[in-house]
Amino acid sequence: MTSGSEASTMPDACFECGAPVRTEWSDYTFTYGADESATELSARIPVEVCVSCSAASLGHEAERLKHEAVCIHHGLLTPRQVRSIRDRHGLSRTAFAEVTGLGEATLHRWEHGIVIQNQANDRYLRLLYSADNIWTLRQLDAEPDAPTAGRRPRFRVLDTRQIHRLQVEQSAYQLRDA
């Protein structure tokens, strides 16, 4: 790692000795992947360095920037870009999920860099940048005669009595040899 010229003092304490740490921006190279598919990627990241013992650690921001480098390497949208598509349309995660058919939990994982979307979903997200495509998806839900209308599964919520009744009914069934 090469230390950059930008440095700022942080109120955090060293994980080794408890002394104050400062943040230094460094060009950081890391290996992504394994075996023959491994590749070296680079990112400019903040490194927290102890002013006393020189212990260094990477924080959340450094991990986020490394994740972005991986997304860029694969030609995929970064978590910030995924979130910006939803923000562009002024939709909550729930509303965006309803319009697009994507899961709320999946959107959360993509937007927070927990997982990286595959290429097919990345292309779908890029199409969703266009307000016309969001409008088209809304029309599909609004038109009862549309070819895909009514295909979205609806789940019912069972209360405790219904669950108990189903358990009683299921216990009456037994598998027998033919």
Side-chain angles (χ1 to χ4, degrees):
M1 282 187 261
T2 359
S3 191
S5 58
E6 311 101 351
S8 63
T9 305
M10 298 291 290
D12 299 326
C14 175
F15 65 93
E16 289 285 336
C17 69
V21 296
R22 69 177 181 279
T23 301
E24 295 179 0
W25 285 85
S26 299
D27 294 323
Y28 184 79
T29 301
F30 60 99
T31 303
Y32 173 74
D35 302 326
E36 64 275 350
S37 67
T39 187
E40 297 291 314
L41 299 179
S42 295
R44 186 150 182 81
I45 63 170
V47 179
E48 297 171 8
V49 181
C50 177
V51 297
S52 178
C53 71
S54 298
S57 66
L58 304 182
H60 294 294
E61 181 67 4
E63 293 301 327
R64 185 189 68 74
L65 292 169
K66 285 172 52 181
H67 182 89
E68 283 190 5
V70 172
C71 291
I72 292 166
H73 169 73
H74 287 295
L76 301 172
L77 295 169
T78 66
R80 283 185 186 194
Q81 292 170 318
V82 171
R83 170 75 188 263
S84 73
I85 293 169
R86 181 170 63 79
D87 289 345
R88 172 179 165 79
H89 301 293
L91 297 173
S92 67
R93 192 175 297 126
T94 301
F96 193 73
E98 287 174 6
V99 170
T100 63
L102 296 167
E104 280 184 71
T106 298
L107 288 167
H108 173 82
R109 289 188 290 265
W110 291 343
E111 290 178 0
H112 287 87
I114 297 167
V115 295
I116 299 174
Q117 67 278 6
N118 62 25
Q119 186 180 20
N121 283 318
D122 191 80
R123 288 180 176 195
Y124 181 46
L125 288 167
R126 289 172 191 269
L127 289 172
L128 295 173
Y129 185 80
S130 166
D132 290 342
N133 291 335
I134 293 289
W135 181 86
T136 300
L137 290 174
R138 286 183 166 152
Q139 291 305 113
L140 289 175
D141 283 340
E143 297 174 10
D145 298 339
T148 59
R151 284 194 188 173
R152 192 175 295 171
R154 303 287 182 210
F155 298 98
R156 61 186 172 133
V157 177
L158 300 176
D159 65 29
T160 310
R161 292 182 313 249
Q162 292 170 311
I163 292 171
H164 179 69
R165 183 179 53 78
L166 288 172
Q167 288 171 336
V168 169
E169 288 176 8
Q170 290 173 353
S171 67
Y173 292 99
Q174 293 180 1
L175 293 176
R176 298 182 212 159
D177 292 332

